[in-house]
Amino acid sequence: MNFIPYGKQTIEQSDIDSVVEVLKSDFLTTGPKVKEFENALSSYCGAKYVIAVSNGTAALHLASLVLLNEGDKVLTTPNSFLATANSILYVGAKPVFVDIKEDGNIDLDVCEEMLKKDSTIKAIYAVAFSGNMINQSKLKYLKETYGVTILEDCAHAIGAKEGEIKAGSCTNSDISIFSFHPVKHLTTAEGGAITTNSKKLYEKLLSLRTHGMVKTSSMKPWEYEMHQLGFNYRITDLQCALGISQLSKLDSFIHRRFEIAKKYDEAFLKESAKRKENSIIKPLYIFDGTSSYHLYVVLVDFTKLNISKEELFLKMKEKNVGLQLHYIPINKQPYYRQLGYESENTPVMNRYYEECFSLPIYPLLSNEEQEYVINTLFEVLK
Ligand SMILES: *Cc1c(COP(=O)(O)O)cnc(C)c1O
């Protein structure tokens, strides 16, 4: 068996052709493909405005610049990639880490308790962890009741939906962001996007993407004005051509991820039925159509086994299966500890971190490979 990573991109000849076509054209960057990609994303996820940028972290940085002021308190999750909380620090605001629920997403009930006690909390940065939608009715309620600003980090969640509400539609949030890193659902190599329904935010974001510059039709032909301190967070036409091609296949990618997720669910439930007790491997959640399954996360109580998580990772790697762990709690990172974080009251996150790991899931994972992963896992854990 060849090495099976936890995630991998799907690049086909049509993707390659679309990039080569741009290479032969007049514009390698800031040409027609950027707007075309943004329009395609807008119609896919249903948000009015989309700004494509150089990566998901740049998307978070620009979002934080338009949503937050220095010193603002922002409730966020310890269960994410570093960039979510880092973007709050970039603008001099203050992340406040809130515990997660059993499904890995931020606990919005705890957020509400905190909002009740502290009216100076400015925003909630929630992550649709592993592709699982953030509870939309609760978001709506928090926004309406407490006037809190909401960002949805949908880096894992493009293609996910709760009822009619799609990830990135900003139905109940001010801004959402996507990442198009190769390990995510669709890739532009590096790339990201910001979505919003606010024209005012959109215009600010557009200018921040390119150095804070504005150019209007009433200006002289050579004129541009800088109104704010912006960046070069542009994405290229090469990348956007790849993105357009990938987006046209996204639904089939997700369909395949669903098949893989259901097959894992079934294997672990069957195993627990056979043993007439709780399975040694529990899916973080069972398939119900609201997750787009960027990750397939399982929980194992290692205190009941003769093998540690570290041994499991090493043994699986020896057998050519790549496991991953999502995530080390952000508030326990050395940099955050040095800022005074670490001792937040996050019992669910702490236990989750002990038990969780992620199994291979990506469209090109074959049935045979998946069966090999499942069998090897059972063999090593027993
Ligand atoms: C990948 C990811 C990001 C950052 O995206 P990049 O494109 O790698 O900068 C942000 N948040 C989450 C939850 C991610 O998984």
Side-chain angles (χ1 to χ4, degrees):
M1 194 57 73
N2 287 329
F3 187 75
I4 304 170
Y6 86 93
K8 191 161 84 178
Q9 69 272 22
T10 306
I11 298 291
E12 293 164 341
Q13 190 57 44
S14 55
D15 299 304
I16 296 167
D17 292 344
S18 65
V19 174
V20 171
E21 197 183 305
V22 173
L23 266 177
K24 294 177 182 165
S25 77
D26 288 339
F27 293 98
L28 299 187
T29 192
T30 323
K33 291 294 172 190
V34 178
K35 196 78 209 129
E36 200 182 318
F37 184 41
E38 290 172 340
N39 289 342
L41 283 168
S42 163
S43 46
Y44 185 88
C45 70
K48 236 183 213 156
Y49 305 104
V50 176
I51 301 102
V53 293
S54 48
N55 56 65
T57 306
L60 283 164
H61 185 189
L62 294 188
S64 293
L65 281 166
V66 298
L67 295 178
L68 306 176
N69 290 308
E70 225 177 293
D72 281 345
K73 283 183 222 163
V74 182
L75 306 183
T76 191
T77 173
N79 191 28
S80 183
F81 183 59
L82 304 167
T84 313
N86 286 355
S87 76
I88 301 166
L89 293 180
Y90 289 164
V91 300
K94 190 177 176 304
V96 177
F97 292 97
V98 174
D99 205 0
I100 59 170
K101 287 181 302 151
E102 300 293 334
D103 68 357
N105 279 350
I106 191 169
D107 190 331
L108 291 175
D109 293 330
V110 175
C111 289
E112 182 173 11
E113 281 165 35
M114 296 171 88
L115 286 166
K116 269 185 192 154
K117 280 189 225 141
D118 183 351
S119 62
T120 68
I121 292 167
K122 175 68 179 289
I124 299 175
Y125 276 31
V127 176
F129 175 74
S130 72
N132 199 23
M133 287 288 280
I134 302 149
N135 185 319
Q136 291 295 313
S137 52
K138 187 79 190 181
L139 272 193
K140 184 175 166 116
Y141 166 80
L142 292 180
K143 194 152 185 49
E144 285 172 359
T145 313
Y146 300 94
V148 66
T149 296
I150 290 171
L151 175 138
E152 292 177 275
D153 182 336
C154 294
H156 298 181
I158 195 165
K161 47 183 186 250
E162 184 191 299
E164 293 302 303
I165 301 176
K166 284 190 169 173
S169 64
C170 297
T171 306
N172 297 303
S173 61
D174 297 279
I175 279 183
S176 300
I177 70 99
F178 293 126
S179 163
F180 309 124
H181 182 274
V183 87
K184 309 287 162 69
H185 287 87
L186 72 94
T187 191
T188 58
E190 293 283 354
I194 310 164
T195 68
T196 183
N197 293 311
S198 156
K199 187 159 192 237
K200 207 170 117 204
L201 291 180
Y202 172 66
E203 282 169 355
K204 271 194 205 166
L205 289 163
L206 265 187
S207 134
L208 283 169
R209 176 174 66 180
T210 309
H211 309 284
M213 278 162 59
V214 281
K215 214 170 149 54
T216 63
S217 52
S218 63
M219 288 179 186
K220 297 179 187 76
W222 65 85
E223 240 181 358
Y224 53 84
E225 285 177 357
M226 178 181 149
H227 289 269
Q228 46 186 345
L229 188 62
F231 300 84
N232 175 0
Y233 280 167
R234 292 186 304 260
I235 189 168
T236 67
D237 272 48
L238 292 170
Q239 290 167 298
C240 289
L242 180 56
I244 294 161
S245 176
Q246 290 263 298
L247 186 59
S248 70
K249 304 168 192 179
L250 178 61
D251 287 340
S252 71
F253 290 166
I254 290 175
H255 177 75
R256 179 64 194 134
R257 285 175 182 271
F258 282 2
E259 288 177 348
I260 295 167
K262 287 186 208 164
K263 190 168 167 145
Y264 276 135
D265 280 0
E266 208 177 283
F268 301 138
L269 296 180
K270 214 193 240 166
E271 171 71 8
S272 67
K274 210 163 73 189
R275 291 160 55 91
K276 296 201 178 68
E277 57 182 299
N278 284 338
S279 174
I280 42 175
I281 305 165
K282 273 186 288 192
L284 180 63
Y285 49 80
I286 300 290
F287 180 86
D288 71 355
T290 58
S291 173
S292 55
Y293 282 96
H294 162 54
L295 303 172
Y296 189 91
V297 177
V298 292
L299 304 170
V300 167
D301 184 354
F302 287 93
T303 62
K304 292 189 179 143
L305 298 175
N306 297 324
I307 183 170
S308 70
K309 197 190 279 190
E310 191 182 351
E311 284 163 348
L312 172 70
F313 269 56
L314 293 174
K315 280 198 178 155
M316 291 299 283
K317 196 173 169 202
E318 263 172 37
K319 293 176 188 291
N320 276 343
V321 178
L323 302 178
Q324 244 318 340
L325 190 149
H326 302 90
Y327 286 100
I328 302 168
I330 300 176
N331 54 323
K332 306 237 166 28
Q333 291 289 349
Y335 184 81
Y336 279 85
R337 286 210 309 262
Q338 166 227 307
L339 292 179
Y341 292 94
E342 182 177 22
S343 52
E344 287 74 17
N345 183 30
T346 55
V348 183
M349 179 69 206
N350 298 352
R351 200 189 63 232
Y352 167 83
Y353 175 54
E354 292 303 317
E355 297 187 350
C356 75
F357 58 94
S358 307
L359 299 179
I361 186 167
Y362 48 90
L364 289 177
L365 183 74
S366 70
N367 284 328
E368 272 164 299
E369 286 171 323
Q370 188 181 7
E371 278 152 26
Y372 176 79
V373 171
I374 294 166
N375 294 335
T376 311
L377 196 57
F378 280 129
E379 192 186 300
V380 172
L381 279 176
K382 271 173 191 165

